[in-house]
Amino acid sequence: MSIEDPWRPFQEIMEAPWEWARSWKQKTGRKVIGHLLPDVPEEIIHAAGALPMAVEGAGVQIGQAQAHIPGYTCSHAMGAIEMGMTGKLDVLDGMVIPYVCDTTRNLFHIWNRCFPHMSNEFLRLPKRIDYPEARDYLCVEFTRLLSSIAEITGKKAGPDEVARSSLLYDKSRKLLRDAYRMQQERPALWTQEKVQLLFASALRAPREEHLTWMEALPWDQEEVDCQVRIPIYVKGKVWDPPGILSLFDKLGLLVVSDEIVTGFRLAAIDVGLNGNPIESLAQRYISLTPYPGYHMEPDMLIQGFLNRVVKSGAAGVVFINPKFCEAAGFEMPDFQKALGETGIPSLILETSSRSASMEQIRLRLEAFRELLSGDLP
Ligand code: SF4
């Protein structure tokens, strides 16, 4: 791997993540466990001695999946099945699917039928994260997941291993947050596309190696940047279509904060070990920005969102909603109404690899940019 260009290791893994995992597996003789986003605790998979690999279905061109899953399924779930059917995921020894919505609940059963050779786990996340019982429930569920993964890997794993993995992941999250800050301070060098490369590869590379690559980045490099950028806030599931961040870079739209599960949300909160490591892990999960599909008191949900947007200083909000995602659709009218009453413009992009056109998205973003520029002093 080239050491001359410090960004190259991140690019290499993202150019061929499954091939990369295959050669890692051959080299180490260890297991690779896939997980569907969001909120599967990677620390648990790592503690049990396996490599956690995020499975992201958005952006995958669909050929075979529609024979196995209804056509009105979001790209994220449909793309995951497609990758499995086309052999991309053969390297996986197991797969963890979280319960975040009806789609993932049904996907788990379909997955078991399509890929019985994998050890498949359904992570039953609580729907009401604001209930005090959620934390205790999660501790039991995370402990169960740890034993299941340890059975696949054959490695004994308990609280000490979880603590060690949590420390490693916290260290990595700190550097990812630093990179996100660089994106705000030096956006010409630390472009949004490049910073997202760091986040996306963290979900695929062995975290120890990823940390070493992160430390070698040009943290001290100064930049001269004359481009005017408009601060925006983004809410959605993943950066879909892939390439949308480079579009933001080109259009001078700067994401000052986001709730994307492969974006800032990934690094926003540490485990911050405090007593029992599983309890600390559960606490981290409960403290995360709520994902669409989790249930909360509507007023609390809307006010929390509004506070985050206002605090970020964004001039506008872009919603990236996966087509057919009911969870995101349910929340939308309330969020838009609240933003409208506060005088913050917003734009909804409904994305799907089966229908999204990058050109349409570019045009809509350009128009939104013009609207926001007019609002600037
Ligand atoms: S929450 Fe939405 S995007 Fe995520 S899996 Fe469910 S339907 Fe798909």
Side-chain angles (χ1 to χ4, degrees):
M1 207 168 267
S2 161
I3 47 167
E4 281 137 31
D5 177 3
W7 300 92
R8 192 62 201 135
F10 307 99
Q11 285 158 353
E12 279 181 12
I13 194 162
M14 289 313 292
E15 277 161 13
W18 305 109
E19 289 72 9
W20 207 98
R22 202 163 286 119
S23 75
W24 179 88
K25 194 170 161 172
Q26 274 163 4
K27 243 182 347 209
T28 61
R30 286 162 59 187
K31 306 284 187 197
V32 181
I33 305 288
H35 62 95
L36 198 77
L37 300 163
D39 294 342
V40 174
E42 295 166 282
E43 294 87 340
I44 287 193
I45 300 175
H46 182 271
L51 172 66
M53 289 282 290
V55 176
E56 215 178 303
V60 173
Q61 284 309 311
I62 304 301
Q64 303 180 34
Q66 286 200 49
H68 302 272
I69 196 163
Y72 50 84
T73 304
C74 69
S75 297
H76 184 55
M78 176 95 65
I81 291 273
E82 181 72 24
M83 283 196 282
M85 299 311 300
T86 47
K88 286 214 165 57
L89 307 183
D90 286 354
V91 66
L92 299 183
D93 298 286
M95 176 74 175
V96 185
I97 296 181
Y99 175 33
V100 289
C101 63
D102 288 348
T103 300
T104 60
R105 193 181 53 187
N106 294 330
L107 179 71
F108 176 69
H109 299 295
I110 296 169
W111 198 272
N112 260 337
R113 288 184 73 98
C114 290
F115 313 113
H117 56 281
M118 285 186 206
S119 302
N120 302 316
E121 272 299 324
F122 190 46
L123 179 66
R124 296 172 185 86
L125 295 170
K127 295 300 271 179
R128 291 298 308 234
I129 49 171
D130 54 338
Y131 281 4
E133 294 81 7
R135 191 161 165 272
D136 292 344
Y137 169 83
L138 260 182
C139 288
V140 175
E141 189 57 3
F142 283 177
T143 306
R144 186 191 66 78
L145 182 69
L146 181 63
S147 323
S148 304
I149 308 283
E151 253 179 55
I152 303 172
T153 60
K155 183 187 169 201
K156 223 170 152 312
D160 289 349
E161 285 74 18
V162 174
R164 272 198 290 277
S165 299
S166 299
L167 283 173
L168 169 72
Y169 275 75
D170 277 0
K171 237 172 150 181
S172 163
R173 278 187 278 260
K174 149 106 186 36
L175 280 191
L176 289 170
R177 287 195 297 272
D178 287 348
Y180 201 85
R181 183 174 43 78
M182 295 296 266
Q183 170 183 302
Q184 319 298 317
E185 292 172 3
R186 298 175 201 175
L189 279 172
W190 293 70
T191 63
Q192 297 171 100
E193 193 183 12
K194 274 183 173 171
V195 170
Q196 182 48 27
L197 187 66
L198 308 179
F199 278 68
S201 53
L203 282 162
R204 279 124 183 136
R207 231 15 120 90
E208 297 82 348
E209 284 186 53
H210 193 270
L211 196 57
T212 317
W213 304 339
M214 290 283 298
E215 282 162 353
L217 285 170
W219 296 96
D220 298 330
Q221 208 174 348
E222 294 296 333
E223 76 170 25
V224 182
D225 176 33
C226 310
Q227 190 183 359
V228 177
R229 289 183 168 78
I230 297 175
I232 56 163
Y233 189 97
V234 180
K235 183 169 171 62
K237 177 153 189 159
V238 290
W239 297 113
D240 182 26
I244 194 163
L245 279 162
S246 105
L247 201 51
F248 287 159
D249 281 325
K250 283 187 197 120
L251 296 175
L253 293 167
L254 180 66
V255 181
V256 284
S257 193
D258 71 80
E259 299 185 11
I260 300 282
V261 298
T262 51
F264 189 67
R265 189 176 180 276
L266 188 69
I269 293 178
D270 286 335
V271 173
L273 284 175
N274 183 13
N276 182 320
I278 299 270
E279 282 176 18
S280 305
L281 211 52
Q283 186 54 48
R284 171 180 186 272
Y285 169 86
I286 284 166
S287 313
L288 287 171
T289 306
Y291 179 72
Y294 301 160
H295 302 163
M296 286 179 83
E297 291 305 325
D299 290 349
M300 222 168 114
L301 192 70
I302 294 158
Q303 198 51 53
F305 170 67
L306 215 48
N307 292 345
R308 291 190 294 277
V309 173
V310 170
K311 191 172 162 215
S312 75
V317 176
V318 175
F319 293 96
I320 303 180
N321 288 349
K323 195 173 172 75
F324 304 123
C325 175
E326 280 189 356
F330 279 144
E331 300 177 336
M332 211 39 47
D334 288 339
F335 284 154
Q336 273 212 305
K337 184 165 172 262
L339 287 171
E341 285 165 3
T342 319
I344 301 175
S346 60
L347 171 73
I348 302 177
L349 299 175
E350 197 180 55
T351 62
S352 160
S353 54
R354 282 159 280 160
S355 60
S357 138
M358 204 60 178
E359 194 50 22
Q360 273 173 355
I361 290 177
R362 188 182 62 77
L363 280 174
R364 296 195 62 206
L365 283 172
E366 267 178 4
F368 190 56
R369 187 194 187 285
E370 265 175 43
L371 173 87
L372 298 181
S373 318
D375 283 354
L376 289 178

